[in-house]
Amino acid sequence: MINKCIISNGAAELFVTQRNGKTHSVFVDEENIKKLKELDVLWHVQWNEKANKYYAHATIYLGNSKYKNIMLHTFLFGERGKTIDHKDNNGLDNREANIRITTKSNNCKNRFGRNSNNTSGYRNVSWIRGHWRVQLQ
């Protein structure tokens, strides 16, 4: 791990930069620092428009002119066939207490904001055939 890091109270704060030079704080558990040091890459922060939040990622050289982009939360907690959910919707808080392994459908329920075609201003409330309809989840 090449990023600067401060460890206190069982958590580590990594200082990670965005391409424009802005620095962000990324949080991980202290026990995951060893795993990050073994990988020995520089972590960056990138805005994800679809999720409407920042995530930490790194580019890993696989050899033979091939590279792979890996997300920090996937590297630390990834399970094949499962989705990783940040409970508080902060993609930069990668502490175990903030991570939940879930299905894609459950992860979609834990989001902020409304659908792009929403007319009411509220989630799960829509105008259909002259009436308001509320969908309970």
Side-chain angles (χ1 to χ4, degrees):
M1 177 183 66
I2 302 170
N3 300 80
K4 184 181 174 191
C5 165
I6 296 175
I7 300 172
S8 66
N9 299 328
E13 180 179 5
L14 304 175
F15 299 99
V16 180
T17 57
Q18 200 174 346
R19 287 189 183 194
N20 64 9
K22 185 178 176 185
T23 302
H24 297 265
S25 293
V26 176
F27 299 96
V28 297
D29 292 311
E30 186 176 355
E31 61 261 14
N32 287 324
I33 290 296
K34 182 179 178 186
K35 192 173 180 181
L36 294 176
K37 285 183 179 180
E38 289 171 359
L39 188 61
D40 195 35
V41 296
L42 182 64
W43 293 94
H44 296 280
V45 169
Q46 185 174 20
W47 178 255
N48 183 311
E49 262 186 59
K50 187 176 177 183
N52 202 29
K53 57 185 154 187
Y54 287 101
Y55 287 107
H57 73 97
T59 303
I60 300 171
Y61 180 66
L62 301 173
N64 206 16
S65 299
K66 296 188 180 196
Y67 295 87
K68 180 180 181 180
N69 195 26
I70 186 166
M71 306 296 272
L72 179 60
H73 61 273
T74 303
F75 175 70
L76 295 176
F77 303 102
E79 288 185 24
R80 191 174 278 272
K82 293 289 184 177
T83 301
I84 299 167
D85 180 29
H86 294 85
K87 293 177 186 176
D88 67 356
N89 282 302
N90 178 358
L92 300 179
D93 187 353
N94 293 287
R95 293 175 286 188
E96 192 171 359
N98 189 47
I99 297 294
R100 147 177 67 212
I101 307 297
T102 186
T103 61
K104 189 172 183 177
S105 62
N106 280 339
N107 190 33
C108 290
K109 294 176 185 175
N110 181 27
R111 65 181 176 94
F112 290 122
R114 57 188 181 141
N115 294 339
S116 59
N117 61 351
N118 183 293
T119 56
S120 71
Y122 298 97
R123 283 189 63 205
N124 303 320
V125 178
S126 55
W127 183 258
I128 296 185
R129 296 184 198 110
H131 301 294
W132 289 106
R133 182 171 83 182
V134 177
Q135 294 177 311
L136 301 176
Q137 300 276 330

